[in-house]
Amino acid sequence: MNSHQVLPLIINSEHFMPERQGRLSGQGGEFIASIRAAEKAGGMWLAFQDSNGHCAISKHDLVSRGEIKQVDWLSRKQIIVEFNVTGWGLISTNHPEFSKEWFTDTITAQQLILWPTPETYPPQPHLQQALLQVKRLYPELHSYCPNQAQDLNDVRLLCWRWLELLPLSIDTKQRLLKAATPALCIRYLNFILRQNDRFLHLRR
């Protein structure tokens, strides 16, 4: 998949990754313009932002592609947007550009399939068990995914669900995701869990 797409840019501190559903809320003219533009364009690029305001919006950074399912414009104080996260993009321009057509920032990214090689990885029972434990202990952190069993058994999705949850730096997440295979991410996640069980309380 080699197509480059210019889509509205949404920057968010929740790091949405593919094969899940997501929700955004906001208000004000800038937010409304971005959502209306995403509806017209048939999609949006979702960029990662950390708690310090640092954003992954430079050339060669990875972004997720979202497609809006529905927008609740009226029933709450804030506008609620529900969407599907459908894939990945690799930013191909140096910086976002303001679109006079859509009155919002856009970015150009090349659609890609992340970790496409169908390599066989050994089961990751510790990562699977720990993810279930986190979801039980902290339901507010739950990422809505249509097929939880697939998330646990597919190493790619297991890694993405963990990277959504963990408060790692954007640079670390980008480096792990840009690796040629999930192997580096698997090693890193297992290292993190071995070193720190402060919120997992798992028996060894």
Side-chain angles (χ1 to χ4, degrees):
M1 189 180 299
N2 297 315
S3 61
H4 293 254
Q5 282 195 313
V6 181
L7 292 174
L9 174 65
I10 304 289
I11 299 172
N12 200 268
S13 57
E14 185 172 351
H15 300 164
F16 301 105
M17 300 191 188
E19 299 196 40
R20 62 161 289 187
Q21 297 174 15
R23 174 178 286 193
L24 291 171
S25 60
Q27 57 187 346
E30 185 176 343
F31 183 78
I32 291 172
S34 296
I35 298 307
R36 289 197 183 279
E39 287 184 307
K40 292 177 183 178
M44 55 191 173
W45 292 122
L46 300 160
F48 301 168
Q49 182 181 48
D50 65 18
S51 58
N52 296 319
H54 174 59
C55 305
I57 53 173
S58 300
K59 191 172 184 177
H60 304 311
D61 281 337
L62 287 167
V63 287
S64 301
R65 190 182 189 284
E67 294 181 0
I68 293 177
K69 292 172 55 185
Q70 64 179 20
V71 182
D72 184 345
W73 297 101
L74 299 174
S75 68
R76 297 176 178 86
K77 291 182 179 179
Q78 290 194 320
I79 297 163
I80 305 296
V81 183
E82 294 183 358
F83 58 93
N84 293 323
V85 188
T86 60
W88 290 101
L90 185 69
I91 296 176
S92 51
T93 49
N94 290 322
H95 51 76
E97 295 183 352
F98 185 79
S99 168
K100 293 181 180 178
E101 176 186 0
W102 289 332
F103 296 101
T104 190
D105 284 337
T106 64
I107 207 158
T108 305
Q110 179 183 4
Q111 295 183 82
L112 78 163
I113 299 173
L114 191 64
W115 299 333
T117 307
E119 297 182 70
T120 300
Y121 292 90
Q124 302 296 318
H126 184 56
L127 290 178
Q128 294 171 344
Q129 180 190 7
L131 184 60
L132 289 174
Q133 184 87 342
V134 169
K135 288 183 176 183
R136 284 195 296 266
L137 291 173
Y138 303 98
E140 69 274 14
L141 297 178
H142 175 62
S143 299
Y144 181 68
C145 309
N147 190 339
Q148 181 170 283
Q150 183 184 8
D151 282 0
L152 293 175
N153 294 322
D154 184 321
V155 168
R156 299 174 313 135
L157 300 184
L158 183 64
C159 288
W160 296 346
R161 299 294 82 87
W162 269 115
L163 291 180
E164 286 177 332
L165 289 171
L166 289 174
L168 305 175
S169 71
I170 288 178
D171 289 341
T172 297
K173 290 188 180 185
Q174 289 281 327
R175 182 168 60 86
L176 293 173
L177 291 167
K178 289 176 184 177
T181 72
L184 178 62
C185 189
I186 292 169
R187 290 199 302 272
Y188 188 88
L189 292 173
N190 276 303
F191 172 78
I192 290 288
L193 295 185
R194 284 196 303 269
Q195 295 298 314
N196 193 349
D197 284 345
R198 70 182 184 272
F199 60 93
L200 296 175
H201 310 294
L202 296 177
R203 288 182 294 178
R204 295 298 178 191

